[in-house]
Every structure is written in C-alpha cells, then in structure tokens.
C-alpha cells in the first residue's frame, strides 16, 4: 500500500495531505463575482442566473435549464414535475448518495430498490425489467405494484461517480411501463452515453454543483428538460410560486424558495468555462491510474463503461474484499491521502430498511469493495 501512496503523491506532485476532491478556481471566478457584487444583485434575480441557465442548457443539449440552490432541490422539483405524489412509489438504486432517497421522501413517496450493474455501478436495466415483470401490472395506463397496490410513478437512476448507467435501456423500459424517467445526474456533468449528455434522456434531469463536484458554486443545482411547460412550472415552483406582478405578493400554490442566487450563478458561469479542461484533465488522471493499478494485485481501477464517455468525477478502485478495503482506507488516510468508501446501501439505513427491494447482490458486492481515491484536477 505504501507503493500506492507514493505513486499518488508523485502524481499530484506533493508530499502534503491530498484531499479527495477540491475545487479549482483558475478562470474568471473573481472577476464575475466582483461584477455581481458591484451590481448589488446578489440574490435570485440577476444577469448571471439567466446567463448560466442559457449556457448550461446549450452545454448539455437540453432546451431549458432552471437553476436551483442545490442538487437535492433540483431533484425534489424534478420529481414533482414528473407528477410524483404522496404515497406513490419511485424505483431507484440502493447504491447512491442519500439525496436521491431524501428527495423522494420529501414528497411523501416511497423508494423501491433494484440492483445495479457491476460495470456502471448504476441502476441495472435487467434488474428493473425483472422487478417490473414479476411485481407489477398496468391498470388504467398506470404501473401498479401488485404487492402494495400503489402506483409506481417514476424511476430515478443515478450516474455513479460520473459513469453513465445503461440509460437508453432504462428509458425504453420506463416508457413500456408508463413510468416517468427522472435522471439523477448530480455527479455526471461532462459525461455522455452514446454521444448524448447524461441528464437529457428522461422527462427531466437534475445536476449538482456542491463544493466537491466537477464544477461548483459552493452549492447549487439545475433542472434540465426539453418540455417548455415543465420548464415554466419548475421556475414558478422554485420561486415560491409567486405570480409575476410589479408590487403585489400573490402566490397561487405551495412553492419553494429554491432559486439559485445570482452570486452563485456568477461563480458557475466562470466554472462552466473551465469544464472541458477539467474533464480532459480527469481523463488523463484516469489513464495514469489505470496503467498503475494494472501492476497492483487484487485492486482494479474502474474505467468508463461501454458506449460511455465519463467525466471521471471521482476516481474509484475495487478491492478484493471488505477486509482489504478497510485496511486500504486506514493506511491511506493515516498516510496523508484521503480515501473513502462508497456509500452504505440505502436499504440498510433505518429510514429505508422496510422498503421493497429486488435481489441486490451487485450493490452489496460493490458496497464492500469500492473506494474513492484522490480525484482533483491537477494544476
């Protein structure tokens, strides 16, 4: 393991502590922030919010983008746009960050967990198809869970660490079963599947700009869609459902104070200018890691899946078992290199332990073996 630590410190050209992923501000960030401050429009109204939404939509190939305060808020609203309501059910993967299940729970809906693929670490279309065929039926154009008698309204796959799941197959299955596809693309800005950007395959998609993401505004998120009606609804809901008026405060439904501040958007406009360079840099780091770990027994580097172009947001390796994983985590963190395990499975958390699940053997295998290693853009 000492060989691994020495290689990574040499790669990052430092003997200091190496974080897992730190942001890089090497462009127009300070310039745009100062301009935003000078304008005095630092809250949710300002030119940078509009500019960012326009440029982001163009970047990922969607018709509309609606900026939010964080990725969880973006996913929450995306599920509302998909008509998910209290007591509905939403299929997702157990191997994901808690925000995926939190957003489902905010509505009062309940997650159902199906397995992931070993190569993508994302929701498996085979597991999804098998679950639906065994447990569900179509009644009045709705997907009904034969066990709970509830409507399965949406499916939320997540592109793990920026590696795309087999999203086209998932979309086709969802279409067949009248289930809305809502993409959790929080980690996959700059990633493509069959040359189409992640987050743009479903009815709506949600991205995150948390402090550790490939580009960041400290927080921040965005909803993307090609549906103009949904885009207008998203902007309305995220702006406290306020009816436009020169001076009166009239709100026509329960809304949310989810609009991204102009100050954050200024930072993101500058960060978006650097995205292509960041992705290229991360791909170069992935090549170095891949070459190196081929020389290490019992550790496999996770490469981008077939038909994908990944942003390699977080670089990851698979160890041979949970014991080796824990030894790896302890040694690296004690020797100045931050590493972390993949998430605990959602169905193993107290809040979701009673949720319906398929066989989750792949998710469990990965939970016990996957570790993230330093992934920052190297200056």
């Amino acid at each position: 393991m000492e060989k691994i630590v020495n290689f990574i410190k040499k790669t990052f050209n430092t003997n200091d502590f190496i974080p897992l992923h730190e942001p890089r501000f090497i462009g127009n960030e300070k310039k745009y922030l100062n301009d935003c401050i000078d304008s005095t429009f630092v809250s949710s109204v300002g030119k940078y919010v509009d500019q960012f939404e326009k440029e982001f939509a163009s970047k990922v190939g969607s018709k509309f983008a609606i900026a939010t305060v964080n990725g969880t808020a973006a996913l929450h609203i995306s599920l509302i746009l998909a008509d998910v309501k209290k007591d509905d059910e939403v299929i997702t993967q157990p191997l994901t960050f808690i925000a995926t299940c939190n957003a489902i729970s905010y509505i009062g809906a309940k997650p159902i967990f199906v397995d992931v693929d070993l190569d993508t670490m994302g929701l498996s279309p085979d597991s999804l198809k098998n679950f639906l065929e065994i447990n569900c039926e179509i009644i009045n154009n709705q997907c009904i869970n034969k066990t709970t008698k509830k409507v399965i309204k949406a499916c939320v796959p997540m592109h793990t660490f920026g590696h795309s799941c087999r999203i086209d197959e998932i979309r086709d299955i969802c279409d067949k079963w009248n289930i809305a596809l809502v993409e959790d693309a929080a980690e996959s800005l700059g990633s493509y599947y069959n040359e189409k950007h992640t987050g743009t395959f479903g009815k709506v998609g949600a991205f995150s700009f948390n402090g550790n993401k490939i580009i960041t505004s400290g927080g921040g998120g965005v909803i993307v869609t090609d549906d103009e009606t949904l885009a207008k609804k998203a902007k309305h809901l995220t702006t406290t459902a306020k009816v436009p008026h020169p001076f009166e405060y009239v709100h026509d439904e329960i809304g949310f104070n989810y609009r991204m501040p102009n100050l954050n958007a200024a930072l993101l406009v500058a960060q978006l200018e650097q995205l292509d360079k960041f992705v290229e840099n991360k791909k170069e780091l992935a090549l170095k890691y891949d070459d190196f770990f081929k020389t290490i027994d019992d550790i496999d580097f996770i490469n981008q899946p077939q038909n994908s172009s990944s942003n390699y947001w977080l670089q990851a390796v698979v160890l041979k078992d949970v014991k080796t994983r824990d030894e790896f985590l302890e040694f690296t963190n004690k020797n100045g290199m931050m590493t972390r395990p993949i998430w605990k499975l959602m169905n193993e958390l107290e809040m979701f332990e009673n949720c319906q699940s398929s066989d989750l053997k792949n998710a469990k295998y990965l939970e016990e073996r996957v570790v993230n290693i330093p992934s920052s853009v190297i200056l």
Side-chain angles (χ1 to χ4, degrees), residues 202-229:
K203 181 185 290 287
V204 283
F207 293 82
S208 170
F209 311 111
N210 186 41
N212 65 355
K213 293 301 190 292
I214 191 166
I215 67 170
T216 183
S217 53
V222 70
I223 301 161
V224 297
T225 183
D226 287 339
D227 188 316
E228 184 175 7
T229 300

Side-chain angles (χ1 to χ4, degrees), residues 122-125 128 155 157 165-175 181:
L123 192 146
S124 167
L128 174 63
C155 176
C165 54
R166 290 152 58 192
I167 190 64
D168 57 346
E169 296 177 51
I170 294 170
R171 177 194 58 200
D172 292 345
I173 294 167
C174 288
D175 287 346
L181 175 57

Side-chain angles (χ1 to χ4, degrees), residues 148-364:
T148 64
K149 309 303 180 185
K150 293 182 178 180
V151 178
I152 298 178
K153 191 65 69 70
C155 176
V156 184
M158 198 271 288
H159 303 292
T160 306
F161 304 146
H163 298 300
S164 173
C165 54
R166 290 152 58 192
I167 190 64
D168 57 346
E169 296 177 51
I170 294 170
R171 177 194 58 200
D172 292 345
I173 294 167
C174 288
D175 287 346
K176 179 180 178 181
W177 285 87
N178 293 334
I179 296 171
L181 175 57
V182 177
E183 278 182 84
D184 185 344
E187 302 174 357
S188 63
L189 176 59
S191 298
Y192 294 81
Y193 184 79
N194 284 332
E195 300 183 353
K196 181 176 173 65
H197 202 290
T198 57
T200 64
F201 285 80
K203 181 185 290 287
V204 283
F207 293 82
S208 170
F209 311 111
N210 186 41
N212 65 355
K213 293 301 190 292
I214 191 166
I215 67 170
T216 183
S217 53
V222 70
I223 301 161
V224 297
T225 183
D226 287 339
D227 188 316
E228 184 175 7
T229 300
L230 292 181
K232 289 179 178 178
K233 180 74 170 178
K235 186 171 182 179
H236 185 60
L237 287 174
T238 56
T239 318
T240 66
K242 183 179 182 298
V243 178
H245 191 277
F247 51 84
E248 287 188 351
Y249 289 93
V250 178
H251 305 261
D252 58 4
E253 60 182 305
I254 301 295
F256 304 88
N257 191 15
Y258 280 177
R259 192 80 170 133
M260 178 184 286
N262 198 40
L263 202 61
N264 297 85
L267 192 58
L268 275 175
V269 169
Q271 286 271 284
L272 196 59
E273 293 172 350
Q274 303 294 321
L275 176 61
D276 291 344
K277 294 179 183 178
F278 288 172
V279 173
E280 182 181 357
N281 191 293
K282 284 175 169 290
K283 286 179 178 289
E284 291 173 358
L285 178 60
L287 287 173
K288 293 178 181 179
Y289 276 146
D290 187 39
D291 287 342
F292 172 75
F293 281 106
K294 285 176 181 175
T295 70
I296 304 296
D297 293 335
D298 297 323
I299 301 180
D300 294 319
F301 179 73
I302 297 178
N303 274 300
Q304 62 189 19
Q306 188 176 8
N307 301 320
S308 299
S309 177
S310 299
N311 67 4
Y312 285 98
W313 167 56
L314 286 185
Q315 316 278 358
V317 292
V318 182
L319 290 96
K320 69 176 181 177
D321 53 39
V322 67
K323 179 177 181 293
T324 309
R325 180 203 69 176
D326 291 346
E327 291 171 352
F328 182 92
L329 288 165
E330 184 174 358
F331 184 89
T332 51
N333 282 284
K334 281 185 176 179
N335 286 273
M337 190 180 91
M338 184 178 179
T339 58
R340 75 177 188 194
I342 203 168
W343 314 280
K344 187 176 180 67
L345 296 186
M346 294 296 104
N347 62 295
E348 295 178 354
L349 299 179
E350 182 179 354
M351 307 87 74
F352 306 117
E353 61 185 4
N354 294 320
C355 292
Q356 190 174 4
S357 300
S358 70
D359 179 4
L360 304 177
K361 63 180 181 180
N362 289 346
K364 188 62 181 177

